[in-house]
Amino acid sequence: SRRGHMWANVNAQSVHQQNAVSLMQVDMLQLGVLQTQMDNLSVQATLIIGFALSMWAGETLMPLLEDDSQLCIWKSWYHLFFASVFFIFVAVCISCCLIIVSIVSYIKQAAQEAALIVSTGAAVAVTRQHLNTLNYYFVVAYASFTLSAVLLIILYVGLPSRLPADTAEHRLSELSGEGESQEGWGSELESIVELFDGTFSITCLDPRNPRDNAVRDSWGAGIAAANTLVILSMSAWGYRKFLFVRQSYKPLQLLSWFVTYQTEQKQKHDAVASLPGNRRSRIDSEVDSTDTSARGGLPT
């Protein structure tokens, strides 16, 4: 009987070790799936960066910034409003995508190291938490990219290409001066034309008008400052997020967090276990599969 009891203990230890190895293999498979999802997220963010940068390219910006173009943004307050929002959304989109690409490249290395040195279950759990945050950043980036594309279409085809006739005529009369005819100014400045009904229209600003030049310069400086502020703010936020992610994979911090995380998951599991069958089946899927206490094992 003593020998049988000894063999029973040996078999129990062997089964426990096999279960631990199986759980570790499952955790490593889950970690591989999470890294594949992060790779897909990083690729999509990189593609969006390329498309967003093309909105800042010369072929797109030149017609919007030239003061004699029919597409210029300086001609009215609503042109300037849509243009300012367009530039800000592009800056937010590019910043979010750069944060995603940078953090994903670090998480892929840190998660593997944490799984080998600290705990596979802890590495999977914290990586899943970070992936949820990165998905949120991607939603913000994608929404900003979509809105910037819509605003670009509005700037190109949705807004008037010329100023109202009364405004253009008023500016023309201001610039004509004594001894000079309106026809002379209209023929010299191609942006000002006379319509068939005798009124005048202008494509954008009149470069001879000091007030127009002041408006263009001041709004240009404001738009540039706003975009710089957005990029710097998002860069600071991304660096802060990177420091948080790096700290979360340090051994002591990771183990401390994982103990708290397992406690919360065990409470959820116990709450689900006390529910009736139908409702339990619906909520059971919300309990994290990395909770080894709910699976009857210890963190590996």
Side-chain angles (χ1 to χ4, degrees):
S1 60
R2 183 177 180 182
R3 180 177 298 178
H5 181 70
M6 181 182 64
W7 279 108
N9 291 334
V10 171
N11 290 333
Q13 294 178 359
S14 176
V15 171
H16 180 75
Q17 291 178 353
Q18 291 178 358
N19 291 336
V21 172
S22 299
L23 290 176
M24 184 177 64
Q25 292 175 348
V26 171
D27 288 335
M28 292 303 294
L29 290 175
Q30 291 182 354
L31 186 61
V33 171
L34 293 176
Q35 290 186 341
T36 301
Q37 294 176 358
M38 286 189 294
D39 287 337
N40 295 334
L41 198 66
S42 179
V43 170
Q44 295 175 24
T46 304
L47 292 175
I48 291 179
I49 290 175
F51 288 117
L53 287 176
S54 66
M55 295 183 181
W56 277 353
E59 295 181 357
T60 303
L61 290 185
M62 190 63 66
L64 298 177
L65 300 180
E66 288 181 340
D67 56 11
D68 59 349
S69 171
Q70 294 186 5
L71 302 176
C72 83
I73 62 176
W74 317 111
K75 63 185 67 176
S76 66
W77 68 268
Y78 47 87
H79 284 81
L80 289 169
F81 171 76
F82 282 110
S84 301
V85 177
F86 163 73
F87 284 114
I88 290 176
F89 274 129
V90 174
V92 171
C93 173
I94 294 176
S95 300
C96 287
C97 289
L98 289 175
I99 292 175
I100 292 172
V101 174
S102 302
I103 293 181
V104 165
S105 62
Y106 176 79
I107 288 180
K108 290 180 61 179
Q109 301 176 5
Q112 290 285 350
E113 182 179 357
L116 295 176
I117 298 178
V118 183
S119 168
T120 56
V124 171
V126 72
T127 302
R128 181 179 287 112
Q129 295 290 330
H130 293 322
L131 181 59
N132 293 334
T133 303
L134 293 176
N135 285 328
Y136 171 75
Y137 289 163
F138 182 77
V139 170
V140 174
Y142 188 82
S144 300
F145 176 76
T146 303
L147 291 174
S148 61
V150 172
L151 289 171
L152 186 62
I153 295 174
I154 293 175
L155 290 173
Y156 266 79
V157 300
L159 298 178
S161 59
R162 289 182 174 272
L163 289 176
D166 55 347
T167 304
E169 187 176 5
H170 176 68
R171 292 184 177 183
L172 189 62
S173 63
E174 288 180 345
L175 297 175
S176 59
E178 295 182 0
E180 298 183 58
S181 64
Q182 293 181 350
E183 290 78 9
W185 278 98
S187 61
E188 184 178 351
L189 193 62
E190 296 180 354
S191 60
I192 301 178
V193 297
E194 183 178 0
L195 305 180
F196 290 146
D197 58 0
T199 59
F200 293 88
S201 66
I202 187 170
T203 57
C204 189
L205 302 180
D206 194 321
R208 294 184 176 90
N209 191 332
R211 184 171 61 86
D212 287 349
N213 290 323
V215 170
R216 178 194 58 201
D217 295 340
S218 60
W219 272 95
I223 292 175
N227 278 265
T228 303
L229 180 62
V230 169
I231 294 175
L232 292 178
S233 300
M234 295 295 293
S235 299
W237 175 262
Y239 181 70
R240 179 182 178 185
K241 182 62 181 177
F242 170 76
L243 294 179
F244 173 77
V245 171
R246 186 177 65 177
Q247 183 70 22
S248 67
Y249 281 102
K250 291 184 177 181
L252 294 179
Q253 179 71 21
L254 180 59
L255 288 177
S256 176
W257 174 86
F258 192 52
V259 170
T260 304
Y261 179 81
Q262 280 188 311
T263 303
E264 295 175 353
Q265 291 298 314
K266 189 175 185 304
Q267 292 175 353
K268 292 181 180 180
H269 182 270
D270 294 340
V272 170
S274 63
L275 294 175
N278 292 334
R279 189 177 179 186
R280 176 181 176 181
S281 62
R282 292 195 303 268
I283 304 179
D284 191 40
S285 60
E286 298 180 1
V287 180
D288 198 335
S289 60
T290 58
D291 177 20
T292 54
S293 63
R295 296 180 297 181
L298 297 174
T300 57

